[in-house]
Amino acid sequence: MKFSESWLREWINPEISSSTLADQLTMAGLEVDDIEKVAGDFSGVVVGKIIECMQHPNADKLRITKVDIGKAKPLNIVCGAPNCRQGLTVACATVGAVLPGDFKIKAAKLRGEPSEGMLCSYSELGISDEHNGIIELPDDAPLGMDIRNYLKLNDVIIDISVTPNRADCFGIVGIARDISAVNNVVMKELKVDSVPATITDTLPVQVDEPKAAPRYLGRIIKNINVNATTPLWMKEKLRRGGIRSIDAVVDITNYLLLELGHPMHAFDLAQIENGIVVRYAKENEKLVLLNGNEVKLNDKTLVIADHKKILALAGIMGGEKSGVTKSTKNVFLESAFFNPLTITGRAREYGLHTDASHRYERGVDPLLQFTAMERASQLLIDICGGEVGPIIDITHQNELPTQATIELHRNKIDRLIGYEIETKKISDILIRLGCEVEYNNNVWIVKSPSWRFDLHIEEDLVEEVVRIYGYNNIPNANLKIESVMKPKPESQISLRRIKDLLVDKGYQEAVTYSFVDPKIQQILHPEQAEIKLPNPISSEMSVMRLSLWSGLLDAVLYNQNRQQTRIRLFETGLCFIPDENCEFGVRQELTLSGVVSGSLYEEHWQLPKKDVDFYDLKGDLETIFSLLGNTEQVQFKRANLSALHPGQSAAIYLNEEPIGYFGVLHPEIEKKLSLNSKTLVFEINLAKISQKRVPVAHDLSKYPSNKRDIAIIVSKTTPAADIISECIKAGGEQLIKVNLFDVYTGENIKEDQKSLAISLILQDKSRTLEEEDITNIVSKCIIALQNRFKALLRE
C-alpha cells in the first residue's frame, strides 16, 4: 500500500517527524518497506504561461515561445515538446535553476535563437517517468509560484506491507485510525453527506447468490462529461499511490480505493440490458476483460451480468464491452460487499491480480458501501456534472458479517504481556481503536468495530492493546521461571524414541509439504475424498495430503533422478481426511510413514547384493512394535489396498484394531510415477502406538520348564500367526511360550499344504508338571488346531 505523507496528514497530523511517523507505523504492525521522495532535488522552477508560440525558423521540431512567469518581461524559451502551444500553463525552469542530477540552467542559443530557461516535463523534475511532453498545469495556477509549493512536492511516498488480517489499512482512512490511536490525537471525521436524487431512474437488480453478495448497491448517474479533466490534486494523490490517471470516472473510483479502501466499479449504462444479475458463471462461459484478455469461466466464479451477457468478474475486473469509454453519457455505479471466500483465489485462477481483488479477498468493511456510493456520487457530479438517481439497495442482512463481542479478562492480558497496564489505559486504547467497551469486575466486554472483522478472540484484543501501548514501552525485565517437572507416564512412548530407532536402522528423516499434487494423490488413493485448497500455491500443490506417501515417493523419484539408488526415508506429520463428524469437516491424523528402495546393504565386498524385500521392511516395523512391550498383540493380515501389490502387502492390527499398512508399491503405480526400482512403503497411525505395556515384576518359577515339539500339516493359505495364537489360547497359563521353528513344503506334502513345526514351552509356578499334565496341554492345542484349521498331526 503506497500513499503520500501529506495525504495522511490531511486526516491526522500529529506533531512528529516523517521518520518518527514511519517508526510508529512499523511498530503498529504496518511495516514500512520504503520511503521515497515525491520528486527529485531541484530549485528555481516556477509556474509560467505560454503567451506566444511560433515555429523555429531553423528547426522543424522546435518552437520559440514567450513565457510569462509573473514578471514585467516574459522569457524567450526554445522548446521541442510536441504539446507546446500558446495558452498552456507550464513548469518553467529559469536561468540559474538546478534540476535533478545537478543540471544547471543557463542562458543559451538554440539553432541561433536565444533561450532564457527551459520548459520541463515530469521526468526532468524527477516526479515520474512520463517524458512525452512538458507538464500541463491548470489555467488558474498562480504565475511565478515555486512549482514545489504549488504541487506540494516537499513530500514523501510511504510504502507499507499490510498483513492479511489488516484489510482496513488498504485505505488511507484505516492507516489514519492507527496513527490516531497510537498518538491519542483526534483524526478528521469520516463524514459524507447524502447526495439527493435529481432523477428517478433506477435499474432492476437481481441477486441470485445472497451468501456471495450480501449487499449490492447501485446508482444511475446521467448526462456526465466523461472527458472532463481530473483535478490535479486527485491525479497527484493517485500517482503517489502508484495508480496511473486514466479518465475522470475511473480516477474517481481509484481515488476511493485508496481513500476508503473500498473498490467500486462504473458500467456504461447503455451496455446493460434489462437490469443487473449477480450470479455464478456457467461452466465455460467467456468474457473479454478490460485488459483485452478473454477468459473461460468456471461455475465457481461470481459475475455481474445482465439478462443476456456477463458484464464483469465480481470484485475483480470489469468487462471490455461494459466499461466506460469516451462516448459514455450515462453510468451505473456499483458499490458492493462480496464474501471474501467467494473472491479468494478467483483472480489467480485467471492469471489476474487487481487492486479490487486484493482488497475483497481480505474483506472490506460491510458497513462502508453507502458511504462509498455517496462519496463517489458527489465527486462525479463535482468533476463530470450529471444527474443523480436514487440508490438501489439489495441487502440480505442475515448474510452480512456481524461485529464480534469478546470478553477480555484482566488476568489473561497480564499473563500474556508479562506486564500490568493500567485499566484506564486499556479501556482508552480499545475505545481509540473504535471498539465499544464496558468494564466490570476485571473483565472488559468489547464489541469490535465493523472494519476490524479480524478481531474474534481474547488474544486478538491483547495484541491490539500491546501494539498501541507500544512494545518499546514495556520495560525489560529478567524472566522469572519456576521449573516444575511435569509427570510423564511410564507407558508413554516418545516420538523421539521411534525416530532414533529408525535412524539406527539406516533411515533418514524427510519433511515434505502438506499440499500435494492431486494427480499423484488420485493414483495412490483413487476412491478417497480429498480437501481442495481454495487458494493454492500452484496446481501441483492444490490438495491436502491423505497420506505421507505422496511427498515421500516424490522424494524417492527426486533422489533416483540424481543417481541415488539406495533410499531409506521416513516422515512424521499430519494427514487431512474429510470427515463430517469432526470440527470443520476434517480429521487430522498424526502419522508415521516410510519408504525404502534399492539394495538391502550398502555396497560392500563381503555383503551379498540383494534388493530389499517385503520381509526386510516387516523386520524394521517389528523393531518399532517391540517398543510396545506386547508384540503378541500385533498382527499382520492380508491387505486389500489399491496402492500396494496384492500379494506383497499387509494390514497391521494392534489389539484387533487396524493401525496401518505396509508392502510393495503396486507395479502399475511404480510405472505411472516413473520409479525405476521396486519400492516399499509403510504407514502407521502414531496415536495407536504411543502407549506401551509397562513391565510388571513376577516371581520366577523355581520349577523346571518342559518343551514339546509338534508338526502339523495345514493349508498353505493359513497364516502361521493364527496357528500360534490358537495354541496360546488353548494351552492356558501353563503354556508360557509358543515358537514356530520350521516350515516345510515338498516331498510327502500335498502341493496346497505346508508343514509347520512348533515348539511348546510349558511351566507351572507352583509345581513340577507331570507327564500327564504335559500330554493334556499338548492334546488341547492339537484338538484346537484340528477343529479350527483342520490340521493334521504329522508323524
Side-chain angles (χ1 to χ4, degrees), residues 3-70:
F3 60 92
S4 67
E5 181 183 354
S6 62
W7 193 9
L8 178 61
R9 289 187 181 273
E10 289 178 16
W11 286 90
I12 179 78
N13 192 16
E15 295 180 1
I16 55 176
S17 65
S18 298
S19 60
T20 302
L21 176 64
D23 289 341
Q24 286 187 352
L25 286 167
T26 296
M27 293 305 293
L30 305 172
E31 184 179 358
V32 175
D33 287 338
D34 191 24
I35 299 177
E36 59 178 310
K37 293 181 179 180
V38 166
D41 294 326
F42 66 86
S43 61
V45 182
V46 298
V47 176
K49 192 178 189 69
I50 301 175
I51 55 177
E52 290 185 21
C53 181
M54 61 189 73
Q55 183 66 45
H56 194 293
N58 302 319
D60 293 339
K61 294 184 179 181
L62 297 179
R63 290 174 177 78
I64 301 171
T65 67
K66 288 189 179 295
V67 181
D68 182 5
I69 61 171

Coordinates of all heavy atoms in Angstrom, one line a residue, residues 3-70:
F3 N 1.2 5.5 -0.3 CA 0.4 6.7 0.0 C 1.5 7.8 0.3 O 2.6 7.6 0.7 CB -0.6 6.6 1.1 CG 0.1 6.2 2.4 CD1 0.5 7.2 3.3 CD2 0.3 4.9 2.8 CE1 1.1 6.9 4.5 CE2 0.9 4.5 4.0 CZ 1.3 5.5 4.9
S4 N 1.0 9.1 0.1 CA 1.9 10.2 0.4 C 1.7 10.6 1.8 O 0.6 10.6 2.4 CB 1.7 11.3 -0.6 OG 0.4 11.9 -0.4
E5 N 2.7 11.1 2.5 CA 2.7 11.5 3.9 C 1.7 12.7 4.0 O 0.9 12.8 4.9 CB 4.0 11.9 4.4 CG 4.0 12.4 5.8 CD 5.4 12.9 6.3 OE1 6.4 12.7 5.5 OE2 5.5 13.4 7.4
S6 N 1.7 13.6 3.0 CA 0.9 14.8 3.1 C -0.6 14.4 3.1 O -1.4 15.1 3.7 CB 1.2 15.8 1.9 OG 0.9 15.1 0.6
W7 N -1.0 13.4 2.3 CA -2.4 12.9 2.3 C -2.8 12.4 3.6 O -3.8 12.6 4.2 CB -2.6 11.9 1.2 CG -4.0 11.6 0.9 CD1 -5.1 12.3 1.3 CD2 -4.5 10.6 0.0 NE1 -6.3 11.7 0.8 CE2 -5.9 10.7 0.0 CE3 -3.9 9.6 -0.8 CZ2 -6.7 9.8 -0.7 CZ3 -4.7 8.7 -1.5 CH2 -6.1 8.9 -1.5
L8 N -1.9 11.6 4.2 CA -2.2 11.0 5.6 C -2.3 12.2 6.6 O -3.2 12.1 7.4 CB -1.0 10.1 6.0 CG -1.1 9.5 7.4 CD1 -2.4 8.6 7.5 CD2 0.1 8.7 7.7
R9 N -1.5 13.2 6.5 CA -1.6 14.3 7.4 C -2.8 15.2 7.2 O -3.2 16.0 8.1 CB -0.3 15.2 7.3 CG 0.9 14.4 7.9 CD 2.1 15.3 8.0 NE 3.3 14.6 8.6 CZ 3.6 14.5 9.9 NH1 2.8 15.1 10.8 NH2 4.7 13.9 10.3
E10 N -3.5 15.0 6.0 CA -4.8 15.7 5.9 C -5.8 15.1 6.8 O -6.8 15.7 7.2 CB -5.3 15.6 4.4 CG -4.5 16.4 3.4 CD -5.0 16.2 2.0 OE1 -6.1 15.7 1.9 OE2 -4.3 16.6 1.1
W11 N -5.6 13.8 7.2 CA -6.6 13.1 8.0 C -6.1 13.1 9.5 O -6.9 13.2 10.4 CB -6.7 11.6 7.6 CG -7.5 11.5 6.3 CD1 -7.0 11.5 5.1 CD2 -8.9 11.3 6.2 NE1 -8.1 11.4 4.2 CE2 -9.2 11.2 4.9 CE3 -9.9 11.2 7.2 CZ2 -10.5 11.1 4.4 CZ3 -11.2 11.1 6.7 CH2 -11.5 11.0 5.4
I12 N -4.8 13.0 9.7 CA -4.3 13.0 11.1 C -2.9 13.7 11.0 O -2.1 13.2 10.3 CB -4.2 11.6 11.7 CG1 -3.7 11.6 13.1 CG2 -3.5 10.7 10.8 CD1 -4.6 12.0 14.2
N13 N -2.7 14.7 11.8 CA -1.4 15.4 11.7 C -0.8 15.6 13.1 O -0.7 16.7 13.6 CB -1.7 16.8 11.1 CG -0.4 17.5 10.7 OD1 0.7 16.9 10.6 ND2 -0.4 18.8 10.4
P14 N -0.2 14.5 13.7 CA 0.5 14.6 14.9 C 1.8 15.4 14.7 O 2.4 15.4 13.6 CB 0.7 13.2 15.3 CG 0.8 12.4 14.0 CD -0.2 13.1 13.1
E15 N 2.2 16.0 15.8 CA 3.5 16.8 15.7 C 4.7 15.9 15.8 O 5.4 15.9 16.9 CB 3.5 17.9 16.8 CG 2.4 18.9 16.6 CD 2.4 20.0 17.7 OE1 3.2 19.9 18.6 OE2 1.5 20.9 17.6
I16 N 4.9 15.1 14.8 CA 6.1 14.2 14.8 C 6.7 14.3 13.4 O 6.1 14.7 12.4 CB 5.6 12.7 15.1 CG1 4.5 12.3 14.1 CG2 5.2 12.6 16.5 CD1 4.2 10.8 14.2
S17 N 8.0 13.9 13.3 CA 8.7 13.9 12.0 C 8.3 12.8 11.2 O 7.7 11.8 11.6 CB 10.2 13.9 12.3 OG 10.6 12.7 12.9
S18 N 8.8 12.8 9.9 CA 8.5 11.7 9.0 C 9.1 10.4 9.4 O 8.5 9.4 9.3 CB 9.0 12.1 7.6 OG 8.4 13.2 7.1
S19 N 10.3 10.5 10.0 CA 11.0 9.2 10.4 C 10.3 8.7 11.6 O 10.1 7.4 11.7 CB 12.4 9.5 10.8 OG 12.6 10.5 11.8
T20 N 9.8 9.5 12.5 CA 9.0 9.0 13.7 C 7.7 8.4 13.3 O 7.3 7.4 13.8 CB 8.8 10.2 14.7 OG1 10.0 10.7 15.1 CG2 8.0 9.7 15.9
L21 N 7.1 9.1 12.3 CA 5.8 8.5 11.7 C 6.1 7.1 11.1 O 5.3 6.2 11.4 CB 5.3 9.5 10.6 CG 4.0 9.0 9.9 CD1 2.8 8.9 10.9 CD2 3.7 9.9 8.8
A22 N 7.2 7.0 10.4 CA 7.5 5.7 9.8 C 7.7 4.6 10.9 O 7.3 3.5 10.8 CB 8.7 5.8 8.9
D23 N 8.4 5.0 12.0 CA 8.7 4.1 13.1 C 7.4 3.7 13.8 O 7.2 2.5 14.1 CB 9.6 4.7 14.1 CG 11.0 4.9 13.6 OD1 11.4 4.2 12.6 OD2 11.8 5.7 14.1
Q24 N 6.5 4.6 13.9 CA 5.2 4.3 14.6 C 4.4 3.4 13.7 O 3.7 2.4 14.2 CB 4.4 5.6 14.8 CG 4.9 6.5 15.9 CD 4.0 7.6 16.2 OE1 3.0 7.9 15.5 NE2 4.3 8.4 17.3
L25 N 4.4 3.5 12.4 CA 3.7 2.6 11.5 C 4.2 1.2 11.6 O 3.5 0.2 11.7 CB 3.8 3.1 10.1 CG 2.9 4.3 9.7 CD1 3.3 4.9 8.3 CD2 1.4 4.0 9.7
T26 N 5.5 1.1 11.6 CA 6.2 -0.2 11.7 C 5.9 -0.9 13.1 O 5.5 -2.1 13.1 CB 7.7 -0.1 11.6 OG1 8.0 0.4 10.2 CG2 8.4 -1.5 11.7
M27 N 6.0 -0.1 14.2 CA 5.7 -0.7 15.5 C 4.2 -1.0 15.7 O 3.9 -1.9 16.5 CB 6.2 0.2 16.6 CG 7.7 0.4 16.6 SD 8.6 -1.1 16.8 CE 8.1 -1.7 18.4
A28 N 3.4 -0.4 14.9 CA 1.9 -0.7 15.0 C 1.5 -1.9 14.1 O 0.4 -2.3 14.0 CB 1.1 0.5 14.6
G29 N 2.5 -2.5 13.5 CA 2.3 -3.7 12.7 C 2.1 -3.4 11.2 O 1.9 -4.3 10.4
L30 N 2.3 -2.1 10.8 CA 2.2 -1.8 9.3 C 3.7 -1.5 8.9 O 4.1 -0.3 8.8 CB 1.3 -0.6 9.1 CG -0.1 -0.8 9.7 CD1 -0.9 0.5 9.6 CD2 -0.8 -1.9 8.9
E31 N 4.4 -2.5 8.6 CA 5.9 -2.4 8.4 C 6.1 -1.5 7.2 O 5.6 -1.7 6.1 CB 6.5 -3.7 8.2 CG 8.0 -3.7 8.0 CD 8.6 -5.0 7.8 OE1 7.9 -6.0 7.9 OE2 9.8 -5.1 7.7
V32 N 7.0 -0.5 7.3 CA 7.3 0.4 6.3 C 8.4 -0.2 5.5 O 9.5 -0.5 6.0 CB 7.8 1.8 6.8 CG1 8.3 2.7 5.7 CG2 6.6 2.5 7.6
D33 N 8.2 -0.5 4.2 CA 9.1 -1.1 3.3 C 10.1 -0.1 2.7 O 11.2 -0.4 2.4 CB 8.4 -1.9 2.2 CG 7.8 -3.2 2.7 OD1 8.3 -3.7 3.8 OD2 6.9 -3.7 2.1
D34 N 9.5 1.1 2.4 CA 10.3 2.1 1.6 C 9.7 3.5 1.8 O 8.5 3.6 2.0 CB 10.3 1.7 0.1 CG 11.3 2.5 -0.7 OD1 12.3 3.0 -0.1 OD2 11.1 2.7 -1.9
I35 N 10.6 4.4 1.8 CA 10.2 5.8 1.8 C 11.0 6.5 0.7 O 12.2 6.5 0.7 CB 10.6 6.5 3.2 CG1 9.8 5.8 4.3 CG2 10.2 8.0 3.2 CD1 10.1 6.4 5.7
E36 N 10.3 7.2 -0.2 CA 11.0 7.8 -1.3 C 10.4 9.2 -1.5 O 9.2 9.5 -1.2 CB 10.9 7.0 -2.6 CG 9.4 6.8 -3.0 CD 9.4 6.0 -4.3 OE1 10.0 6.4 -5.3 OE2 8.7 5.0 -4.4
K37 N 11.2 10.1 -2.0 CA 10.8 11.5 -2.2 C 9.8 11.5 -3.4 O 9.9 10.7 -4.3 CB 12.0 12.4 -2.5 CG 12.9 12.6 -1.4 CD 14.1 13.5 -1.8 CE 15.0 13.7 -0.6 NZ 16.2 14.6 -0.9
V38 N 8.9 12.4 -3.3 CA 7.9 12.6 -4.4 C 8.5 13.1 -5.6 O 8.1 12.7 -6.7 CB 6.7 13.5 -3.9 CG1 5.9 14.0 -5.0 CG2 5.9 12.8 -2.8
A39 N 9.5 13.9 -5.5 CA 10.2 14.5 -6.7 C 11.7 14.5 -6.4 O 12.1 14.4 -5.3 CB 9.6 15.9 -7.0
G40 N 12.4 14.7 -7.5 CA 13.9 14.9 -7.4 C 14.2 16.2 -6.7 O 13.4 17.1 -6.5
D41 N 15.5 16.4 -6.4 CA 16.0 17.6 -5.8 C 16.2 18.6 -7.0 O 17.1 18.4 -7.8 CB 17.3 17.4 -5.1 CG 17.1 16.4 -3.9 OD1 16.1 16.5 -3.3 OD2 18.0 15.6 -3.6
F42 N 15.4 19.7 -6.9 CA 15.6 20.8 -7.9 C 15.2 22.1 -7.3 O 14.5 22.1 -6.2 CB 14.8 20.5 -9.2 CG 13.3 20.5 -9.0 CD1 12.6 21.6 -9.0 CD2 12.7 19.3 -8.8 CE1 11.2 21.6 -8.9 CE2 11.3 19.2 -8.6 CZ 10.5 20.4 -8.6
S43 N 15.6 23.2 -7.9 CA 15.2 24.5 -7.4 C 15.1 25.5 -8.6 O 15.6 25.2 -9.7 CB 16.2 25.1 -6.4 OG 17.5 25.2 -7.0
G44 N 14.4 26.6 -8.4 CA 14.3 27.6 -9.5 C 13.3 27.3 -10.6 O 13.3 27.9 -11.6
V45 N 12.3 26.4 -10.3 CA 11.3 26.1 -11.3 C 10.0 26.7 -10.8 O 9.6 26.5 -9.7 CB 11.1 24.6 -11.4 CG1 10.1 24.3 -12.5 CG2 12.5 23.9 -11.8
V46 N 9.4 27.5 -11.7 CA 8.2 28.3 -11.3 C 7.0 28.0 -12.3 O 7.3 27.4 -13.3 CB 8.5 29.8 -11.2 CG1 9.5 30.1 -10.2 CG2 8.9 30.3 -12.6
V47 N 5.8 28.5 -11.9 CA 4.7 28.3 -12.8 C 4.8 29.4 -13.8 O 5.0 30.6 -13.5 CB 3.4 28.5 -12.0 CG1 2.2 28.5 -13.0 CG2 3.3 27.4 -11.0
G48 N 4.6 29.1 -15.1 CA 4.6 30.1 -16.2 C 3.5 29.8 -17.2 O 2.9 28.7 -17.1
K49 N 3.2 30.8 -18.1 CA 2.2 30.6 -19.1 C 2.7 31.0 -20.4 O 3.4 32.1 -20.6 CB 1.0 31.5 -18.7 CG -0.3 31.2 -19.5 CD -1.4 32.1 -19.1 CE -2.7 31.7 -19.7 NZ -3.2 30.4 -19.2
I50 N 2.5 30.2 -21.4 CA 3.0 30.4 -22.8 C 2.0 31.4 -23.4 O 0.9 31.1 -23.7 CB 3.1 29.1 -23.6 CG1 4.0 28.1 -23.0 CG2 3.5 29.4 -25.0 CD1 4.1 26.8 -23.6
I51 N 2.5 32.6 -23.6 CA 1.7 33.7 -24.2 C 1.9 33.8 -25.7 O 1.0 34.4 -26.4 CB 1.9 35.1 -23.5 CG1 3.4 35.5 -23.6 CG2 1.4 35.0 -22.1 CD1 3.6 36.8 -23.0
E52 N 3.0 33.3 -26.2 CA 3.3 33.3 -27.7 C 4.0 32.0 -28.0 O 4.8 31.5 -27.2 CB 4.1 34.4 -28.1 CG 3.4 35.8 -28.1 CD 4.3 36.9 -28.7 OE1 5.2 36.6 -29.5 OE2 4.1 38.1 -28.4
C53 N 3.7 31.4 -29.2 CA 4.3 30.2 -29.6 C 4.4 30.2 -31.1 O 3.4 30.2 -31.8 CB 3.6 28.9 -29.1 SG 4.3 27.4 -29.5
M54 N 5.6 30.1 -31.6 CA 5.8 30.2 -33.1 C 6.9 29.1 -33.5 O 7.7 28.7 -32.7 CB 6.2 31.6 -33.5 CG 7.5 32.1 -32.9 SD 7.8 33.8 -33.3 CE 6.7 34.6 -32.2
Q55 N 6.9 28.8 -34.8 CA 7.8 27.8 -35.3 C 9.2 28.4 -35.3 O 9.4 29.5 -35.7 CB 7.4 27.4 -36.7 CG 8.2 26.3 -37.3 CD 8.1 25.0 -36.6 OE1 7.0 24.6 -36.3 NE2 9.2 24.4 -36.4
H56 N 10.2 27.5 -35.0 CA 11.6 27.9 -35.0 C 12.0 28.0 -36.5 O 11.7 27.1 -37.3 CB 12.4 26.9 -34.3 CG 13.8 27.3 -34.0 ND1 14.7 27.5 -35.0 CD2 14.5 27.6 -32.8 CE1 15.9 27.9 -34.5 NE2 15.7 28.0 -33.1
P57 N 12.6 29.1 -36.9 CA 12.9 29.2 -38.3 C 14.0 28.2 -38.8 O 14.0 27.9 -40.0 CB 13.5 30.6 -38.4 CG 13.9 31.0 -37.1 CD 13.0 30.2 -36.1
N58 N 14.8 27.7 -37.9 CA 15.9 26.8 -38.4 C 15.7 25.3 -37.9 O 16.7 24.6 -38.0 CB 17.2 27.3 -37.8 CG 17.5 28.8 -38.3 OD1 17.2 29.1 -39.4 ND2 17.9 29.6 -37.4
A59 N 14.6 25.0 -37.4 CA 14.4 23.6 -36.9 C 12.9 23.2 -36.9 O 12.1 24.0 -36.4 CB 14.9 23.4 -35.5
D60 N 12.6 22.1 -37.6 CA 11.2 21.7 -37.7 C 10.5 21.3 -36.4 O 9.3 21.5 -36.2 CB 11.1 20.5 -38.7 CG 11.4 20.9 -40.1 OD1 11.4 22.1 -40.4 OD2 11.8 20.0 -40.9
K61 N 11.3 20.7 -35.5 CA 10.7 20.2 -34.2 C 10.8 21.2 -33.0 O 10.5 20.8 -31.9 CB 11.4 18.9 -33.9 CG 11.1 17.8 -34.9 CD 11.6 16.4 -34.5 CE 11.3 15.4 -35.5 NZ 11.8 14.0 -35.1
L62 N 11.3 22.4 -33.3 CA 11.5 23.3 -32.2 C 10.5 24.5 -32.4 O 10.1 24.8 -33.5 CB 12.9 23.9 -32.1 CG 14.0 22.8 -31.8 CD1 15.4 23.5 -31.8 CD2 13.8 22.2 -30.5
R63 N 10.1 25.1 -31.2 CA 9.3 26.2 -31.2 C 9.9 27.3 -30.3 O 10.5 27.0 -29.3 CB 7.9 25.9 -30.7 CG 7.1 25.0 -31.7 CD 5.8 24.5 -31.2 NE 5.0 23.7 -32.1 CZ 5.3 22.5 -32.4 NH1 6.2 21.8 -31.8 NH2 4.5 21.8 -33.3
I64 N 9.6 28.6 -30.7 CA 10.1 29.7 -29.9 C 8.9 30.2 -29.2 O 7.8 30.5 -29.7 CB 10.6 30.8 -30.8 CG1 11.8 30.3 -31.6 CG2 11.1 32.0 -30.0 CD1 12.3 31.2 -32.7
T65 N 9.0 30.3 -27.8 CA 7.9 30.7 -27.0 C 8.3 32.0 -26.2 O 9.4 32.2 -25.9 CB 7.5 29.6 -26.1 OG1 8.5 29.4 -25.1 CG2 7.2 28.3 -26.8
K66 N 7.2 32.7 -25.8 CA 7.4 33.7 -24.8 C 6.6 33.3 -23.6 O 5.4 32.9 -23.7 CB 6.9 35.1 -25.3 CG 7.8 35.7 -26.3 CD 7.4 37.1 -26.6 CE 8.3 37.8 -27.7 NZ 9.6 37.9 -27.1
V67 N 7.2 33.2 -22.4 CA 6.6 32.6 -21.2 C 6.5 33.7 -20.1 O 7.5 34.3 -19.8 CB 7.4 31.4 -20.7 CG1 6.8 30.8 -19.5 CG2 7.6 30.4 -21.8
D68 N 5.3 33.9 -19.7 CA 5.0 34.9 -18.6 C 5.1 34.1 -17.3 O 4.4 33.2 -17.0 CB 3.6 35.4 -18.8 CG 3.2 36.5 -17.7 OD1 4.1 36.8 -16.9 OD2 2.1 36.9 -17.7
I69 N 6.1 34.6 -16.4 CA 6.3 34.0 -15.1 C 5.9 35.0 -14.0 O 6.4 34.9 -12.9 CB 7.7 33.5 -14.9 CG1 8.7 34.6 -15.0 CG2 8.0 32.3 -15.9 CD1 10.1 34.2 -14.6
G70 N 5.1 36.0 -14.4 CA 4.6 36.9 -13.4 C 5.5 38.1 -13.2 O 5.3 38.9 -12.3

